[in-house]
Amino acid sequence: MDTQFKIIEKENIADLKFPHSEILNDDKAIDQRTTELKRALSLGNLEHSKIQIYFEDEMSKKMVETTVWALTDESVVLKKGVGIPINRIVKIA
C-alpha cells in the first residue's frame, strides 16, 4: 500500500485542497484511525516522535512524516498550524 502514496513535505500541505467526504467506509476502521491519532498525539507531545500519515487530497494519495502537535474534532494539527482533515486520513504508522 505504501508504494501508492507520494511523499510530501508538511510545508506543502497548506496548498492542498481536501474534499469533505469521509475516505474510510467502515466504522471499525474509523475507530482504529481515532485510536492511532490519539497515540500519535501522545508520541508527539511526550517523545517528539515523528509518525507517517497516509492521506488523500482531491488529486492523489500522499504521505507525510511529521510530529502531531494537536487534534481537533476535524483536523490533525502539525507544526506551524498546518492541518490535515481527519476524514481524509487513510492510516497512521
Side-chain angles (χ1 to χ4, degrees):
M1 179 162 134
D2 300 353
T3 56
Q4 300 176 34
F5 289 80
K6 178 184 173 193
I7 297 172
I8 185 170
E9 297 297 322
K10 67 179 170 293
E11 293 80 11
N12 297 330
I13 293 173
D15 298 329
L16 302 178
K17 294 190 185 330
F18 293 96
H20 295 287
S21 59
E22 172 63 59
I23 196 76
L24 300 177
N25 56 10
D26 177 322
D27 288 342
K28 188 174 180 180
I30 292 170
D31 290 343
Q32 178 66 30
R33 176 180 62 198
T34 301
T35 300
E36 291 173 355
L37 286 171
K38 289 177 182 176
R39 181 179 168 274
L41 177 62
S42 295
L43 286 172
N45 288 333
L46 298 174
E47 300 178 22
H48 305 288
S49 297
K50 290 187 176 188
I51 51 100
Q52 295 172 337
I53 301 175
Y54 296 83
F55 64 97
E56 289 188 36
D57 66 352
E58 68 177 2
M59 302 297 289
S60 64
K61 297 178 179 182
K62 296 181 173 56
M63 186 277 290
V64 63
E65 188 166 335
T66 188
T67 302
V68 173
W69 283 48
L71 291 175
T72 71
D73 290 340
E74 298 179 358
S75 296
V76 173
V77 182
L78 311 177
K79 195 172 187 176
K80 297 184 181 177
V82 173
I84 300 173
I86 291 173
N87 64 340
R88 301 308 297 173
I89 295 174
V90 177
K91 75 171 190 168
I92 297 93

